[in-house]
Amino acid sequence: MRATPLRTTAAWPLVWIYAVLIVYASLYPFDSWRIQGIAPWAFLTAPLPRYWTGFDVGSNVAGYAPFGFLMALALHRTRDRWPAVALTTLTAAVLSLTMESLQMFLPVRVPSNVDAALNICGAFAGAAMASALERVGMLDRWSRFRDRWFVPDASGAMALLAVWPLALLFPAPVTFGLGQVLERAEAALAHLLEDSLLLEWLPLREVELQPLLPVSEILCVAIGLLLPCLLAFGVLRLWVQRMVVAALLVGAGFAASALSAALTYGPAHAWGWVSSEVWTGLALALAAGLGLSFCAARVCWVLALAALVWQLSLLNNASADAYFALTLQTWEQGRFIRFHGLSQWLGWLWPYALLVYLIHRLSSPGLAKDA
């Protein structure tokens, strides 16, 4: 059956997430704003750049292609009578031109009419691909697959699950331990309030944060792997489906962590982060996941909420070691200076988005139960 206008889809949350990432990537580092006395749209009539590379072309096209694909996909699934390709291309054009215009006020960014055109072409290509899949019936097949595997209101959970591997790309102080923000938030707040009377009101800890003990690190690893599995258990219909998705999530988590290490230290060190604590945490997560796979959706999510709060408490009452500080320098001062912010914010915010989602769903009287 074709999608109806009332149907929910995970594509819409992903569209908004990806749009925020585009804004971040386009305007990073968000400082030293200034007015040059030039119209923000002056780049449209500027001469074409004299030098450009294939990487520049590919990155600008590829940067907007997922946005175009996701938005067109969302329109096909929820507003199938609307001109998806045209609306998506127009939206991408407005977004790209706005970002390029705002770059006129940033000294480290250079707006370009070629970049804007390539962004629009990328969004058009992504939207056209989604429409082609719709014409050959792939979206209807996906709808039938989703109906067999997932409960009707699974779009939010599916979006969180899709983002989780991307959140793991930025190196974390503890493997699979996302959301450790307190130490850096305190430092950022102190820097912001420097030379201000408000600095005296900033609460100070009586003791310095200490690194995690091995047993606490094992628990954080296990909970970090278990959380997406418990989230998926709440929206999958059958036990076998839970096992398949859990295996895929664990595999995706290890693959994303290996890719992060390879990007940071080189391919030869892709698996250097796999320590005895990681293996023990993996075994603990697999054992707990297998046992909890028989539980009802509400039970899985209640346990996920409790485990998430426990993990965040452990992580944010511990400090990152000096070795992790060197890792951050590799990302923040090297070739990842544009990319690091995107994955860093995903890693910081993903557990808190999960926290909000779980509280919202658990407080809803319509939470579906597994068969």
Side-chain angles (χ1 to χ4, degrees):
M1 295 178 60
R2 290 182 62 84
T4 65
L6 297 178
R7 188 181 187 109
T8 61
T9 173
W12 277 123
L14 292 175
V15 169
W16 288 107
I17 292 172
Y18 200 85
V20 171
L21 296 182
I22 286 177
V23 172
Y24 189 96
S26 300
L27 303 182
Y28 181 83
F30 295 97
D31 58 4
S32 302
W33 293 78
R34 82 279 193 256
I35 299 177
Q36 300 187 86
I38 304 175
W41 53 86
F43 70 94
L44 290 173
T45 56
L48 297 178
R50 305 179 77 181
Y51 304 101
W52 52 272
T53 64
F55 175 81
D56 295 329
V57 174
S59 60
N60 280 286
V61 172
Y64 271 70
F67 176 82
F69 181 85
L70 290 170
M71 184 171 178
L73 178 64
L75 288 172
H76 278 301
R77 287 183 57 80
T78 59
R79 297 291 186 270
D80 57 349
R81 296 183 181 275
W82 291 14
V85 175
L87 285 176
T88 299
T89 305
L90 178 61
T91 302
V94 172
L95 178 60
S96 177
L97 292 174
T98 301
M99 293 300 100
E100 295 294 329
S101 298
L102 290 176
Q103 286 180 4
M104 188 70 74
F105 301 98
L106 288 168
V108 298
R109 306 307 298 265
V110 179
S112 168
N113 46 18
V114 173
D115 288 351
L118 292 173
N119 292 339
I120 297 171
C121 290
F124 173 79
M129 180 179 296
S131 295
L133 293 177
E134 163 67 12
R135 284 194 296 271
V136 299
M138 291 300 297
L139 298 189
D140 287 338
R141 295 179 184 177
W142 163 251
S143 297
R144 292 192 294 269
F145 170 81
R146 172 175 166 163
D147 291 340
R148 290 195 305 269
W149 281 62
F150 296 93
V151 298
D153 51 353
S155 58
M158 294 173 67
L160 285 170
L161 292 173
V163 171
W164 179 67
L166 301 178
L168 294 174
L169 289 178
F170 186 79
V174 179
T175 305
F176 305 119
L178 303 177
Q180 187 173 357
V181 300
L182 181 60
E183 188 175 17
R184 299 197 74 183
E186 286 180 340
L189 184 59
H191 178 73
L192 180 65
L193 299 179
E194 189 176 3
D195 299 328
S196 169
L197 295 177
L198 296 176
L199 183 61
E200 299 179 0
W201 295 89
L202 186 66
L204 299 176
R205 292 186 303 272
E206 295 182 359
V207 294
E208 289 296 323
L209 296 177
Q210 301 297 321
L212 283 174
L213 297 174
V215 64
S216 298
E217 184 176 349
I218 291 172
L219 286 173
C220 288
V221 171
I223 294 173
L225 280 172
L226 193 59
L227 284 174
C229 297
L230 291 177
L231 175 62
F233 290 172
V235 294
L236 291 165
R237 296 184 180 276
L238 302 176
W239 180 84
V240 175
Q241 296 167 349
R242 288 182 170 189
M243 291 294 95
V244 172
V245 172
L248 292 175
L249 286 171
V250 171
F254 269 76
S257 298
L259 177 59
S260 175
L263 291 173
T264 306
Y265 308 112
H269 303 281
W271 300 102
W273 53 276
V274 183
S275 62
S276 58
E277 289 81 7
V278 172
W279 284 121
T280 306
L282 172 62
L284 185 60
L286 292 178
L290 180 61
L292 295 174
S293 64
F294 297 96
C295 296
R298 182 175 290 274
V299 174
C300 290
W301 283 359
V302 168
L303 293 175
L305 181 61
L308 176 59
V309 173
W310 189 12
Q311 185 196 44
L312 290 175
S313 177
L314 289 173
L315 290 172
N316 287 289
N317 282 284
S319 66
D321 55 23
Y323 183 71
F324 178 69
L326 296 177
T327 302
L328 289 183
Q329 291 181 4
T330 302
W331 282 69
E332 295 178 354
Q333 299 178 11
R335 60 187 182 279
F336 302 115
I337 191 169
R338 295 289 184 266
F339 175 69
H340 95 274
L342 305 181
S343 56
Q344 177 178 247
W345 278 99
L346 287 177
W348 281 355
L349 298 181
W350 188 88
Y352 300 99
L354 175 61
L355 182 68
V356 172
Y357 178 82
L358 290 174
I359 293 174
H360 171 70
R361 292 303 308 274
L362 288 171
S363 62
S364 173
L367 175 62
K369 298 182 179 180
D370 289 326

